[in-house]
Amino acid sequence: MSAQIIDGQAIADEIRTNIAAEVARFQAQFGYPPGLGVVLVGDNPASAQYVRMKRRACESAGMKSVGHILPASATQAEVEAAVKALNDDPTIHGILVQLPLPPHIDEPTILSMVSLEKDVDGFHPINIGRLAMKGREPLFTPATPTGCMVLLERMGAQLEGANAVVIGRSNIVGMPVALMLMKANATVTVCHSRTRDLPEIVRRADVVIAAIGRPNYVKGNWLKPGAIVIDVGTNQIDDPTAPRGYRYVGDVEVATAQEVAGAITKVPGGVGPMTITLLMQNTLKSAWRSVGATT
Ligand code: NAP
């Protein structure tokens, strides 16, 4: 058996084409584009690269992008002032605070300062709280977990009553995707570094979400035949044959997994492109909401 490859890049490209058309419609109607504001603190190269990619993607869809790039020495008050400036700016519809923040910055305070209506990352405690509660809907859901859900939907995955296993329980991926799967009526098991008999648990899963940050950790013989596997992991490994001397692999050992799974995402080209796309979609949604429309 060879698994169907879930092409996140192609799905993301298609959604981005629709976003660009919607952005043009918004601009034509109101005379200004949807705007994303970004706060980046410090000089972590990976964070700077993510921010560049997000801003470039927004701009290529016709959105405005404003950056508050602060040095690692920035004070709590300076970071708070950057968030406040974006909260108060009517041309900004979405605010992204790139994580992690330097250790001396109080991250929970910063995240809860982001205006609920502009929380396109979906990390405000009220949005996460609504996601966790039955009968409540958040204004926004986090981009990477939402990207996983869109990929599952595009695969035609039957989530109702399915056994879903999420490996990883981080605030940005594992926990919110588990909540979203529960909202979709899956029976969800969340695994983490203290879980016993992980392969046994994974073997019962119709849907596996791997978000642990360990290269090639989940093996093909852990999977139930036909399972749908979404690999969120993005791990840099040395590869002297690659042009840059390294390449990226997921948390799932794709060579063995694709012999057993029914469908699987690849790394790169799976969840990664969906993350930025869903951030753009949330910003557009916020812009429409700001003018009293839902689409
Ligand atoms: P994280 O905050 O480090 O969390 C990792 C989670 O995995 C933790 O819950 C940890 O358990 C669990 N874990 C670690 N080792 C484990 C093991 N051996 N067995 C079972 N569980 C284990 O990571 P993250 O931010 O969620 O990111 C996870 C991966 O996704 C990373 O590779 C990251 O680069 C990638 N990522 C990709 C995107 C994208 O857009 N494609 C976006 C975000 C993240 P404990 O809670 O017990 O410590």
Side-chain angles (χ1 to χ4, degrees), residues 144 168-170 172 192-193 211-214 217 232-235 272 275:
T144 302
R169 57 175 167 179
S170 72
I172 64 167
H192 44 77
S193 65
I212 52 182
R214 293 183 183 263
Y217 192 78
V232 185
T234 311
N235 309 292
T275 295

Side-chain angles (χ1 to χ4, degrees), residues 119-176:
D119 177 39
V120 290
D121 247 346
F123 293 147
H124 191 292
I126 292 181
N127 275 325
I128 290 286
R130 286 182 183 169
L131 182 61
M133 292 169 84
K134 196 173 167 144
R136 308 281 172 88
E137 288 301 328
L139 289 178
F140 303 100
T141 52
T144 302
T146 310
C148 296
M149 298 301 288
V150 171
L151 292 177
L152 288 171
E153 190 185 303
R154 290 294 185 107
M155 288 306 300
Q158 295 299 317
L159 295 178
E160 180 146 338
N163 283 334
V165 168
V166 178
I167 321 174
R169 57 175 167 179
S170 72
N171 286 344
I172 64 167
V173 190
M175 177 269 289

